[in-house]
Amino acid sequence: MSSSRDTRILVLNSGSSSVKYQLLDMSDSSRLAVGLVERIGEETSRLKHTHVESDTTREWSGPIRDHEAALKAVAEELAKDGLGLDSPELAAIGHRVVHGGQTFTAPTVVDDAVLAEIERLIPVAPLHNPANLTGIRTAQTLRPDLPQVAVFDTAFHTTMPESAARYAIDTATADAHRVRRYGFHGTSHAYVSRATAKLLGKAPEDVNVIVLHLGNGASASAVRGGRCVDTSMGLTPLEGLVMGTRSGDLDPAVIFHLARVGGMSIDEIDTLLNKKSGLIGLCGDNDMREIRRRVDEGDEEAQLAFDIYIHRLKKYIGAYYAVLGRVDAVAFTAGVGENASPVREAAVAGLEELGLAVDSELNAVRSDRPRLISPEYARVAVAVIPTDEELEIATQTYALVGRNTHQ
Ligand code: AMP
C-alpha cells in the first residue's frame, strides 16, 4: 500500500438519510476504509466502519442528528485508523451527485456557482440532489481547503444525440420545464463499458457495448466507442426496465386513468410506480434470489414476474442492438446482473441469430472478477463485469485534482 503524499480520495455518497463512504489510495486503487451511516435523524442511527488493512469492523448505534454529525462520526472513525480527514495525504473528496442536468458533462470541482447549479436542478431530482448538496456542504465545513469534486450520475449520458434524449412532446413545454431524457447510473455504465473493452483486450474507442446495470434500480445503455448513445432511464429513474420496485416503461395514459378512474392522487401514483411496482408489485418480492427460489418451487406469480422482467430486458437488448448496428459485447452488472445466472441465461436465450449466446458452465461460475460467459464461437461477447462506482468516482476525482496539483 502506498504512503506517497496526496494520493488518497474520500468518496462520499450522501442519501437523504444515509452516507456511504470509501477511502481509496489512487496510487494503486486500493481501498483503505469503507463504511456506512444509516437512519440519520433517527434515534437508532447506525454506523459501520471497516478498516481494510487490519480487516477490523466497528459498529455503533445511537442517535446521529444530521449529515454534519454523520460526517463528523465518519471522520472520527477514520482518525482512529490513522486515516483522519486532516491527513496531508488526502487529495480531495469525490461526491456522487445524482442529477447534473445538461450543465455538467464531466466531473467538476465544486465552487459556489456549481453548488447553485446543483440546487437549481432540485426540481428534476427532488429526492437526491438536496442530500447530495448537504453532503458537499458538510464536507466543505470539515475541510474548507480541500477540493470537493462532484461526479454526476447523468454526465456519461450527456453524449446522447438529441434524437435519443428528447421526448416527442411540444418543444416549448419540454424546454420550459427541462423535460428530456437524462439517464442515471452513469458512473456504473462508464466504468463497466470501459472494463468490458479491457476484458476484450481492446481500446474503449473500438468497442460497442450494451451495458445492463441490473440492481434494485436497473438501466440499460448503448455505448458506441466509449460514448453513450442511448440509455433506458429518462427524466427520472422511473423509465425503462422492470426494476425491484419501479414499473419502468408504461403508457403514460395509465397515470391519467389511475387519476380519473381510480381516483388516485399524483403523490399516490408516484409512490405506486416508484415504490410498489416492478417485481415487488408483480409478486410481492423484489429480491431476485427470493423470486428464483419461488420459481424453482413452481410459484406461478413469481414465474410471471420473472417473465415480464426478462421480456423487457430482451426488448432493450434488441433495441440497442438496432441503435448500435454492430455490437461487440453485452455486459451484465450490479446485484442481479453479477449474481443471477438464470437472468443472464434467459435474457440472451433465443438471440443466437444476433450472435448472442451464453455457455451454461461459464455462466454458472461464481466470481467477483470480470469474465466472459459466451461460448468461443459466439460473434458477440457476453460478459459479467462487477461494477465499482466508488472506484470510478475516485478515479474521476483524482484525474481532475491530480492534473492540477500533482503533475
Ligand atoms: P444492487 O442494487 O446492485 O445492490 O442490487 C441489489 C439486488 O441484487 C437485490 O435486490 C437482489 O435482487 C439482487 N441480488 C443480490 N445478490 C443476488 C444473488 N446472489 N442472486 C440473485 N440476485 C441477487
Side-chain angles (χ1 to χ4, degrees):
M1 214 160 284
S2 167
S3 61
S4 58
R5 290 174 70 85
D6 288 45
T7 54
R8 291 182 188 164
I9 302 289
L10 178 66
V11 175
L12 289 182
N13 181 352
S14 306
S16 55
S17 64
S18 70
V19 175
K20 291 186 200 139
Y21 63 94
Q22 292 197 1
L23 182 68
L24 291 98
D25 188 330
M26 297 315 291
S27 63
D28 57 4
S29 300
S30 63
R31 251 156 271 252
L32 304 177
V34 299
L36 162 75
V37 187
E38 288 176 299
R39 299 202 285 268
I40 296 170
E42 295 180 27
E43 287 301 307
T44 55
S45 315
R46 206 171 69 95
L47 186 150
K48 187 174 176 188
H49 173 93
T50 300
H51 178 233
V52 175
E53 196 177 16
S54 63
D55 195 18
T56 49
T57 296
R58 293 187 291 274
E59 290 191 56
W60 183 88
S61 186
I64 296 182
R65 201 177 57 251
D66 53 19
H67 281 71
E68 189 169 347
L71 270 194
K72 280 189 177 145
V74 170
E76 277 171 27
E77 290 303 323
L78 287 167
K80 284 182 200 164
D81 296 328
L83 301 168
L85 291 191
D86 52 356
S87 157
E89 288 161 79
L90 190 60
I93 301 182
H95 298 265
R96 176 185 182 217
V97 180
V98 167
H99 217 307
Q102 287 181 272
T103 317
F104 297 110
T105 58
T108 305
V109 177
V110 172
D111 59 18
D112 288 347
V114 170
L115 285 175
E117 182 62 16
I118 296 172
E119 191 152 15
R120 204 177 67 85
L121 288 162
I122 285 177
V124 284
L127 297 181
H128 294 105
N129 275 28
N132 302 155
L133 270 174
T134 307
I136 298 175
R137 290 198 170 112
T138 310
Q140 281 179 323
T141 61
L142 292 182
R143 274 298 301 268
D145 55 316
L146 204 63
Q148 311 280 336
V149 174
V151 179
F152 299 91
D153 264 22
T154 46
F156 184 62
H157 304 303
T158 54
T159 52
M160 277 197 287
E162 286 297 282
S163 53
R166 297 208 74 124
Y167 293 110
I169 64 168
D170 170 66
T171 304
T173 309
D175 288 349
H177 301 289
R178 285 176 282 178
V179 174
R180 57 187 282 122
R181 309 190 56 255
Y182 295 99
F184 298 89
H185 293 146
T187 9
S188 178
H189 286 284
Y191 176 85
V192 170
S193 55
R194 262 205 335 271
T196 306
K198 192 173 168 200
L199 185 67
L200 299 181
K202 294 187 176 167
E205 300 76 48
D206 298 330
V207 177
N208 292 353
V209 190
I210 297 173
V211 178
L212 303 170
H213 177 110
L214 310 177
N216 200 27
S219 63
S221 68
V223 183
R224 175 181 290 132
R227 290 164 67 86
C228 177
V229 293
D230 203 354
T231 194
S232 60
M233 285 177 166
L235 173 75
T236 76
L238 185 54
E239 192 179 342
L241 300 173
V242 176
M243 312 182 206
T245 66
R246 296 190 194 116
S247 63
D249 294 336
L250 43 75
D251 179 348
V254 168
I255 296 164
F256 317 142
H257 181 79
L258 290 175
R260 292 188 186 125
V261 180
M264 293 176 73
S265 70
I266 289 293
D267 284 345
E268 283 169 342
I269 299 171
D270 191 331
T271 304
L272 175 83
L273 298 181
N274 275 296
K275 304 239 166 82
K276 298 182 182 170
S277 296
L279 293 170
I280 206 157
L282 288 167
C283 73
D285 274 310
N286 64 334
D287 192 314
M288 191 53 80
R289 284 165 286 206
E290 186 58 19
I291 291 169
R292 284 306 309 174
R293 195 191 58 71
R294 286 172 57 187
V295 167
D296 291 341
E297 284 176 355
D299 183 321
E300 286 179 15
E301 196 182 44
Q303 181 70 59
L304 180 59
F306 184 79
D307 292 347
I308 294 169
Y309 184 94
I310 296 296
H311 178 77
R312 185 83 52 85
L313 196 51
K314 208 173 255 190
K315 281 211 305 203
Y316 269 93
I317 295 173
Y320 287 172
Y321 208 117
V323 165
L324 290 169
R326 188 202 83 219
V327 176
D328 299 296
V330 173
F332 287 89
T333 193
V336 175
E338 291 167 29
N339 295 298
S341 54
V343 168
R344 299 191 296 253
E345 187 165 342
V348 168
L351 302 184
E352 294 80 7
E353 289 290 324
L354 297 180
L356 279 159
V358 157
D359 178 302
S360 311
E361 270 180 40
L362 292 176
N363 192 31
V365 173
R366 295 194 64 82
S367 161
D368 57 5
R369 316 265 326 150
R371 58 200 185 274
L372 290 176
I373 57 167
S374 42
E376 271 192 20
Y377 64 79
R379 257 188 302 126
V380 179
V382 180
V384 180
I385 310 279
T387 193
D388 196 336
E389 291 168 271
E390 289 77 16
L391 176 59
E392 180 66 21
I393 291 171
T395 303
Q396 293 192 15
T397 301
Y398 190 60
L400 194 62
V401 298
R403 261 204 304 279
N404 298 334
T405 55
H406 306 291
Q407 287 166 16

